[in-house]
């Protein structure tokens, strides 16, 4: 009995390159390697169209192709008989294939070079096993029990901080995913900011990713999961092409460093949705190649959807009722200077304390407002309602994410321990705590 197309998905990942054979109308054959074959449904696959190659020229004339798939785990081979149907230049399939390519391209500053022109759709007419020795097929991982535990963890969260921290801890506990982070969108700044991270030697809190840049930024812009299982090889290939382009004096954008591990072997970025809107990204990575299968992608996409619903619910709870108190502030670092020098740059709402960068954007504008009010009137307590009413903060009218911005600000201040902190002190209220005299300056 021949296997189903779905059972061959491991062979389509690109770990072992597939081969495609086509033939021109005059009978001339052509054989090419494929970086990946994209599974669509039990009867269809897609191939990426980036350049007008001989393979594409042939299928436009003669739409029949043979594709050889090799399983990277068992070495078993299967031959597909496929018929070219059409090329899609928009829609879900095009976006999904293009998102991965765009994520790789933007890390190497090759956005205009590595560009998907279309997704070539094929109907699979027959699947034929190739008679050759191979290893037994490993059992697929059963991710339903850990996914259930993860969903329960998300459902039991009592506030945003508990949600983010417990979710990342559960990822490590249930799926042994040690490096993970959650980033939320700041549409006004066209960026994502990190609100929680786990498994990194240095802090990632407050770090930013431009929307549409890198694997994380492209996943947020397109709303499509991006999974790269051979990150070093795929990004390395892009860097080689970049070096060749620079040698020819081609104008390229600056390369973008990885957000997290310096040299990841596997990457998976999953959009967090709140309704039809992408509100953030769940990002996991590993030093090992082939760490995340399509089973992981399916399971974690479900988790990301649950995260989106929980974020929406808990943000509403922050306004409607009493939330759990934040923990006490950390002990400030000993300081030689008795006065805190705070400098604010209005153009990007960037705030520094004693020459150290703290935060920028709307969260920076919020902290600057609180500090000025404290200096001028001695006020320490502020409400979410008055922050929303302050037009100088430029909060979005819809989905302002104020609760997550305050959480980000509080975590960043606690992490730096510079003598300024925020605490929740009641329904929809925060308290500013200042350990030393302030000197404020606006640049």
């Amino acid at each position: 009995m021949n296997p189903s197309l779905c059972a061959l998905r491991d062979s389509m990942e690109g770990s072992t390159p597939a081969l495609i054979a086509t033939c021109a109308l005059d009978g001339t054959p052509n054989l090419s390697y494929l970086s990946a074959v994209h599974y669509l449904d039990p009867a269809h696959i897609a191939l990426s169209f980036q350049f007008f190659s001989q393979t594409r020229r042939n299928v436009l004339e003669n739409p029949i192709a043979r594709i050889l798939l090799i399983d990277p785990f068992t070495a078993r081979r299967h031959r597909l008989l496929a018929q070219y149907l059409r090329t899609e230049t928009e829609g879900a399939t095009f976006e999904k294939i293009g998102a991965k390519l765009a994520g790789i391209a933007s890390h190497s500053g090759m956005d205009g070079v590595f560009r998907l022109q279309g997704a070539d759709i094929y109907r699979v007419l027959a699947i034929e096993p190739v008679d050759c020795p191979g290893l037994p097929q490993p059992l697929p991982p059963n991710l339903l029990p850990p996914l259930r535990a993860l969903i329960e963890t998300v459902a039991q969260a009592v506030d945003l901080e508990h949600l983010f921290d417990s979710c990342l801890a559960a990822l490590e506990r249930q799926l042994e995913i040690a490096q993970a982070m959650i980033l939320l969108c700041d549409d006004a700044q066209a960026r994502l900011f990190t609100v929680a991270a786990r498994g990194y030697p240095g802090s990632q809190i407050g770090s930013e990713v431009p929307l549409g840049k890198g694997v994380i930024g492209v996943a947020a812009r397109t709303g499509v999961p991006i999974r790269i299982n051979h990150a070093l090889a795929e990004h390395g290939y892009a860097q080689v092409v970049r070096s060749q382009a620079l040698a020819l004096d081609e104008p390229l954008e600056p390369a973008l460093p990885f957000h997290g591990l310096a040299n990841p072997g596997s990457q998976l970025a999953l959009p967090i949705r709140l309704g039809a809107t992408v509100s953030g990204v769940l990002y996991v990575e590993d030093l090992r190649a082939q760490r995340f299968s399509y089973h992981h992608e399916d399971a974690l996409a479900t988790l990301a959807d649950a995260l989106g619903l929980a974020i929406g619910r808990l943000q509403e709870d922050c306004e409607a009722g009493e939330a759990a108190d934040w923990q006490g502030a950390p002990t400030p670092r000993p300081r030689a200077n008795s006065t805190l020098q705070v400098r604010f740059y209005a153009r990007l709402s960037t705030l520094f304390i004693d020459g150290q960068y703290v935060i920028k954007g709307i969260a920076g504008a919020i902290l600057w407002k609180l500090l000025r009010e404290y200096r001028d009137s001695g006020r320490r307590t502020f409400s979410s309602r008055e922050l929303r009413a302050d037009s100088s903060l430029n909060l979005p009218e819809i989905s302002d994410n104020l609760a997550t911005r305050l959480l980000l600000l509080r975590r960043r201040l606690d992490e730096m321990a510079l003598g300024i902190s925020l605490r929740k002190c009641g329904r929809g209220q925060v308290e500013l705590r200042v350990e030393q005299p302030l000197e404020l300056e606006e640049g």
Side-chain angles (χ1 to χ4, degrees), residues 14 84 104-105 117 133 141 191 193 209 226 229 276 287 298 301 309 334-335 338 355 358 363 382 387:
Y84 168 76
I104 295 172
Q117 297 191 53
R191 291 178 176 272
F193 55 89
V209 174
I226 300 178
N229 256 345
L287 288 171
D298 292 343
L309 293 173
R335 309 178 65 81
S338 61
V358 178
F382 304 85
L387 293 177

Side-chain angles (χ1 to χ4, degrees), residues 295-311:
H295 300 287
H296 289 94
E297 180 179 333
D298 292 343
L300 294 184
T302 304
L303 175 63
D305 287 341
L307 270 174
L309 293 173
I311 290 171

Side-chain angles (χ1 to χ4, degrees), residues 172-329:
E172 183 168 13
R173 186 171 60 253
Q174 297 293 336
L175 294 176
E176 298 182 353
I177 297 176
Q179 282 83 32
M181 62 181 73
I182 297 171
L183 304 94
L184 296 182
C185 294
D186 185 344
D187 294 332
Q189 301 288 330
R191 291 178 176 272
L192 296 99
F193 55 89
T194 307
V195 294
R198 186 179 179 91
Y200 299 95
S203 172
Q204 300 286 328
I205 301 301
S207 57
E208 299 179 346
V209 174
L211 189 66
K213 296 295 183 181
V215 172
I216 295 171
V218 172
R221 178 179 60 80
T222 62
V224 173
I226 300 178
R227 179 167 54 91
I228 301 176
N229 256 345
H230 298 272
L232 289 178
E234 299 200 45
H235 291 294
Y237 171 71
Q239 288 294 340
V240 170
V241 176
R242 175 182 175 84
S243 299
Q244 294 173 345
L246 290 174
L248 298 173
D249 293 327
E250 293 286 343
L252 299 176
E253 295 185 9
L256 185 71
F258 292 117
H259 191 76
L261 295 175
N263 294 294
S266 303
Q267 299 171 294
L268 177 54
L270 305 120
I272 298 173
R273 297 180 181 277
L274 185 55
T277 304
V278 175
S279 60
V281 170
L282 170 63
Y283 177 67
V284 298
E285 58 183 344
D286 199 285
L287 288 171
R288 295 166 289 178
Q290 292 185 283
R291 175 62 177 85
F292 308 119
S293 68
Y294 57 87
H295 300 287
H296 289 94
E297 180 179 333
D298 292 343
L300 294 184
T302 304
L303 175 63
D305 287 341
L307 270 174
L309 293 173
I311 290 171
R313 170 178 62 83
L314 293 173
Q315 286 191 19
E316 291 178 359
D317 289 349
C318 286
E319 300 305 315
E322 191 80 27
D325 287 342
W326 290 334
Q327 297 177 358

Side-chain angles (χ1 to χ4, degrees), residues 89-131:
T89 57
E90 59 182 7
T93 299
F94 176 80
E95 289 291 345
K96 183 173 180 61
I97 297 175
K100 177 178 177 179
L101 189 64
I104 295 172
S106 63
H107 272 299
S108 56
M110 302 283 286
D111 302 67
V113 179
F114 282 11
R115 184 173 59 86
L116 184 69
Q117 297 191 53
D120 290 342
I121 310 300
Y122 288 76
R123 176 187 290 115
V124 176
L125 304 176
I127 301 174
E128 174 191 359
V130 177
D131 187 16

Side-chain angles (χ1 to χ4, degrees), residues 148-172:
R148 177 179 177 177
L150 286 164
I151 297 296
E152 289 176 351
T153 297
V154 168
Q156 293 168 4
V158 296
D159 58 30
L160 289 170
E161 183 172 22
H162 182 212
L163 171 67
F164 298 146
D165 290 345
S166 63
C167 179
L168 296 188
L171 274 174
E172 183 168 13

Side-chain angles (χ1 to χ4, degrees), residues 161 325-331 410 414 421-424 433:
E161 183 172 22
D325 287 342
W326 290 334
Q327 297 177 358
T331 303
R410 195 274 300 174
D414 284 357
S421 61
L422 281 182
R423 291 292 163 266
K424 182 173 285 296
R433 298 183 181 179

